[in-house]
Amino acid sequence: MKKLQSFVYADKNKCIGCRACEVACSSVHSEKPGKTIGAVQGDIKPRLFFVQTKQEKMLLQCHHCEDAPCRASCASGAIQIFEQKVIVDEVLCTGCKSCVLACPFGVIEIMPTKHKAGIAWKCDLCQQRDEGPACIEVCPMQALRWVEPSVEAKQKRISAVQAMPVLSQYAR
Amino acid sequence: MGKQAEINIDMDLCTGCQRCSTVCPVGAISGKFGEYQTINQEKCVRCGQCVQICSAYASIYEHTAAAIGEKKKVQGLPGDYNGPVFAAFYTGVYQQVKQVLQQTHYYKMVQCAPAVRVSLAEEFGLDFGVLTPGKLAAALRRVGFDQVYDTNFGADLTIMEEAGELLDRIQNGGVLPMFTSCCPAWVRFIETAHPELIPHLSSCKSPQQMAGAMFKTYGAKQTGHVPASLYSVAIMPCTCKEQEAEREEMENSGYRDVDAVLTTTELAYLIKEANIDFTALPEEDFDRPLGFYSGAGTLFGVTGGVMEAALRTAYERLMKTKLPDGMLQELREGQGRKSIKLNLDGLELKTWVAAGLQNVEDLLSEVKKGTADFQFMEVMTCPEGCISGGGQPKLYLGNRVQEAYDKRRRGLYQHDCEQTVHTSHENPEIKRLYQDFLGEPLGPVSHKFLHTTYRQTKQISNKK
């Protein structure tokens, strides 16, 4: 079986809502070099989304779905799976918003760029960055983590097996 | 003057993550987790660490462009500022300085703190800690300053007075231990939270204020201007320095020592608004005489630096010989606080250096109980001294802050090595200033212009 696509997942019990991940996301995707607010400038345009309700805070971002609805909905073939990531081709994208409607998590926005009035704007798992996703790196609460679904599932099955002897008394 | 620089939190943008209250050294920030936080302005020492750490911002997904524009106005950001707007913010006198720079009837003098030359370039895309004193001087001329002087000169002057004051207190039974007084947030902390310790503060003004006082007296004479026509600006890595400049004590010459203070970040706005390509600027010198400095002066930008500069001078004065290399190395190592003991010609001197107000509380208790066994203490409010100040460039990736501090610190130590003079008392322009104008350290003229007084400010509750 092929390796399942990874994604970044936020633990809402750990998130304090500082939004440092969004700020970091925006800066590492900026074309301008520089590490300070004055150097980079421009609006903060994160590819992950802070959600705060009365009871909860959490960050949402692309799950890099295996059978990605955004990809299926894209009429111009701009959304493709590339190196195990759901990636938007900025040249092909027409900003038609079908993917915005198709995404079950609401984690695609349409954003203007230097060359286009609007393109699909979503998490690319910091594919251009050697250190991996900036959001994970910068989170002060370690609330964000890189999920390897196959590994996680395998790990869960091992835990489940370890719990089995207890159950077996009743199953005999 | 009615200016009152302040730190505030936008209740609309604050998410209540409370990271600001974890870095606030005086417990001035309160609010429920998940709800907007407020700052107790009487308790706040204006260190600006909350401004540095805050990452809750006005999101374009949640706010209209007009609403964000309104917030920019409230925060006093330049008209063409197109960067993010954060919940915790500092409002200073940027607009006022910009206006005065366009007026021709003022003769404008500027000084620049040591830590600014290792951080300003970051705002123009260069790496952390890149040392650019030459471009800094060039930029200040191009934004409209007539004389580009330096706070480092003021730092050398501070050492002359402060080392003298320490020896005087030791030899003549003055109040000991003596505390440094160059960090205005620390001074404000003593005035608000520990007013009974005010006599321990050195009576020396900070380098900024000493330099300012000299601009409007000695400097006015040197350049042939009347003090009333001078406008004196200081560029600082600090969000508390404007408030220091506004103190009513700070005008012994009959004029404000310093008329306005800009932060490093605000200077970057000014350079950008003037369409100056910072990285392409030539390397220029600061103007003499009040812009010439020793390596010791430049160390003021880092924790332990004031102590190192003071001990260099005290050692050479008392021992009548050069300080051996590496003797003060301990002052450059470790974090939080450190102690060093020296024997200077029979004088046993024990000193403390602390960065971060949380690192001094127990020492202050010892002083209050009378059990303190040290004579001199340097305190800076920010975690690594002025290089980590609240007015310094703010990072996009907050977790890289230690890397930024390390590189800025290295830049300042490198700058010390580059100087031709390494001790304040050997700065030829300092010698000339005493010869031509001040007389001697702690003398009557010095006392009039370079020393100050402190007062208890509104008693605050002890509850943290």
Side-chain angles (χ1 to χ4, degrees):
Chain A
M1 198 181 106
K2 98 175 188 22
K3 181 176 168 278
L4 296 178
Q5 283 155 207
S6 294
F7 62 103
V8 176
Y9 191 72
D11 182 340
K12 67 181 176 187
N13 291 323
K14 287 186 184 169
C15 177
I16 56 172
C18 70
R19 310 191 79 159
C21 50
E22 289 183 308
V23 175
C25 173
S26 183
S27 78
V28 301
H29 287 91
S30 161
E31 287 163 20
K32 285 198 190 163
K35 297 167 177 172
T36 63
I37 303 297
V40 180
Q41 299 257 335
D43 287 320
I44 291 187
K45 299 190 281 191
R47 292 156 187 262
L48 75 171
F49 303 89
F50 174 63
V51 182
Q52 185 167 27
T53 66
K54 272 222 163 80
Q55 296 81 30
E56 292 171 310
K57 305 170 199 251
M58 191 177 163
L59 265 301
L60 276 180
Q61 63 207 93
C62 176
H63 274 230
H64 295 269
C65 308
E66 301 298 321
D67 188 21
C70 57
R71 182 182 174 213
S73 76
C74 182
S76 45
I79 300 183
Q80 291 300 334
I81 310 276
F82 177 72
E83 291 180 346
Q84 295 237 309
K85 299 173 185 78
V86 178
I87 299 293
V88 177
D89 184 322
E90 298 191 4
V91 177
L92 294 179
C93 178
T94 60
C96 78
K97 305 176 277 287
S98 301
C99 55
V100 176
L101 299 181
C103 175
F105 298 100
V107 290
I108 304 180
E109 279 278 350
I110 301 293
M111 192 65 69
T113 65
K114 219 198 265 174
H115 311 290
K116 289 193 157 183
I119 60 158
W121 200 254
K122 66 177 288 301
C123 167
D124 61 3
L125 290 172
C126 287
Q127 58 164 345
Q128 81 291 6
R129 204 168 176 262
D130 296 336
E131 304 95 317
C135 53
I136 298 179
E137 178 191 316
V138 82
C139 178
M141 307 309 292
Q142 286 84 46
L144 292 158
R145 66 188 181 92
W146 178 266
V147 177
E148 294 266 12
S150 311
V151 176
E152 299 241 345
K154 204 175 273 173
Q155 204 55 51
K156 285 236 169 77
R157 288 196 287 270
I158 289 170
S159 309
V161 165
Q162 284 165 346
M164 281 309 175
V166 182
L167 295 175
S168 63
Q169 297 171 4
Y170 307 98
R172 228 172 247 154
Chain B
M1 306 282 276
K3 287 185 288 194
Q4 277 290 333
E6 268 190 3
I7 312 273
N8 276 297
I9 297 174
D10 183 315
M11 57 186 282
D12 187 26
L13 299 181
C14 178
T15 60
C17 76
Q18 296 186 329
R19 288 183 83 202
C20 53
S21 36
T22 64
V23 295
C24 177
V26 291
I29 304 176
S30 58
K32 283 186 190 155
F33 177 70
E35 293 175 15
Y36 69 86
Q37 310 290 302
T38 51
I39 299 180
N40 176 336
Q41 296 295 345
E42 279 165 18
K43 245 181 177 185
C44 172
V45 293
R46 317 282 191 269
C47 71
Q49 289 303 310
C50 53
V51 175
Q52 289 286 326
I53 203 168
C54 178
S55 48
Y57 67 98
S59 167
I60 53 171
Y61 301 133
E62 296 155 25
H63 301 269
T64 61
I68 294 176
E70 203 44 53
K71 290 189 186 299
K72 285 181 188 170
K73 240 186 253 170
V74 171
Q75 301 202 2
L77 292 162
D80 67 347
Y81 175 81
N82 72 342
V85 178
F86 291 97
F89 64 97
Y90 163 73
T91 39
V93 292
Y94 177 76
Q95 298 298 348
Q96 182 202 318
V97 174
K98 214 180 102 182
Q99 277 169 12
V100 174
L101 281 174
Q102 285 154 0
Q103 294 167 7
T104 49
H105 59 275
Y106 283 112
Y107 190 72
K108 298 135 199 156
M109 292 182 169
V110 68
Q111 58 169 307
C112 197
V116 178
R117 68 208 68 203
V118 288
S119 62
L120 180 64
E122 296 167 11
E123 294 282 61
F124 299 92
L126 299 188
D127 194 14
F128 298 133
V130 174
L131 182 62
T132 55
K135 289 189 194 305
L136 170 62
L140 290 169
R141 283 197 185 93
R142 280 156 188 74
V143 296
F145 290 105
D146 301 306
Q147 285 290 322
V148 178
Y149 289 148
D150 207 345
T151 314
N152 287 11
F153 176 89
D156 280 336
L157 192 51
T158 303
I159 288 303
M160 299 299 289
E161 295 292 325
E162 200 160 355
E165 184 185 354
L166 177 65
L167 294 178
D168 180 62
R169 286 191 189 213
I170 291 172
Q171 285 155 2
N172 299 316
V175 177
L176 287 172
M178 184 174 91
F179 305 155
T180 55
S181 56
C182 42
C183 172
W186 156 241
V187 168
R188 190 176 153 81
F189 175 65
I190 288 292
E191 289 183 321
T192 52
H194 301 284
E196 65 274 41
L197 296 178
I198 285 175
H200 292 270
L201 283 170
S202 160
S203 66
C204 289
K205 287 183 183 174
S206 70
Q208 165 181 291
Q209 296 302 128
M210 284 198 185
M214 290 303 98
F215 292 2
K216 294 215 176 163
T217 51
Y218 185 69
K221 252 183 242 166
Q222 293 275 325
T223 56
H225 286 83
V226 290
S229 72
L230 296 180
Y231 186 72
S232 158
V233 177
I235 314 293
M236 294 283 139
C238 180
T239 45
C240 190
K241 281 283 178 187
E242 168 61 28
Q243 200 188 35
E244 179 186 56
E246 290 172 20
R247 290 177 68 113
E248 57 189 33
E249 301 90 350
M250 300 295 183
E251 51 177 28
N252 329 61
S253 65
Y255 299 93
R256 304 298 310 160
D257 291 345
V258 174
D259 293 297
V261 179
L262 294 184
T263 63
T264 311
T265 308
E266 287 174 320
L267 175 61
Y269 297 157
L270 206 54
I271 295 169
K272 282 179 188 162
E273 281 207 287
N275 286 316
I276 294 166
D277 180 356
F278 182 79
T279 52
L281 284 172
E283 304 289 323
E284 294 182 3
D285 286 328
F286 290 91
D287 291 319
R288 288 180 88 136
L290 302 176
F292 186 82
Y293 53 92
S294 77
T298 212
L299 294 182
F300 270 60
V302 57
T303 170
V306 181
M307 186 61 72
E308 180 163 347
L311 293 180
R312 281 183 189 177
T313 284
Y315 187 93
E316 296 194 3
R317 278 278 158 94
L318 292 170
M319 305 296 280
K320 313 271 187 274
T321 165
K322 283 256 162 251
L323 180 83
D325 278 344
M327 189 163 178
L328 303 176
Q329 186 58 32
E330 288 163 64
L331 291 174
R332 300 188 176 198
E333 289 160 1
Q335 279 181 326
R337 76 181 193 197
K338 43 218 162 186
S339 177
I340 190 168
K341 281 185 202 165
L342 284 182
N343 186 318
L344 301 178
D345 194 26
L347 170 71
E348 286 287 344
L349 191 63
K350 183 179 177 190
T351 68
W352 276 104
V353 167
L357 298 179
Q358 71 280 12
N359 291 315
V360 289
E361 289 283 5
D362 58 329
L363 294 172
L364 297 184
S365 303
E366 280 180 31
V367 175
K368 284 182 192 173
K369 278 185 281 180
T371 54
D373 65 343
F374 57 98
Q375 291 79 40
F376 189 31
M377 175 160 75
E378 172 206 302
V379 183
M380 299 202 189
T381 304
C382 293
E384 303 228 354
C386 312
I387 51 164
S388 55
Q392 288 282 60
K394 174 167 167 165
L395 309 193
Y396 263 109
L397 295 174
N399 61 322
R400 300 288 176 90
V401 76
Q402 194 57 47
E403 181 194 344
Y405 295 166
D406 289 346
K407 288 183 172 169
R408 290 173 187 166
R409 184 185 330 106
R410 276 205 292 277
L412 276 188
Y413 285 137
Q414 179 198 330
H415 199 43
D416 167 33
C417 295
E418 290 167 357
Q419 302 311 308
T420 50
V421 177
H422 298 284
T423 50
S424 304
H425 62 278
E426 283 178 325
N427 178 342
E429 297 295 359
I430 289 281
K431 287 184 187 170
R432 201 152 72 91
L433 174 65
Y434 277 103
Q435 221 165 49
D436 296 351
F437 183 64
L438 289 173
E440 53 178 1
L442 306 183
V445 186
S446 283
H447 203 268
K448 178 170 181 204
F449 295 122
L450 306 181
H451 290 259
T452 189
T453 53
Y454 309 99
R455 58 194 139 84
Q456 174 169 3
T457 27
K458 191 162 179 167
Q459 183 65 56
I460 53 172
S461 89
N462 291 320
K463 208 172 71 192
K464 260 212 162 175

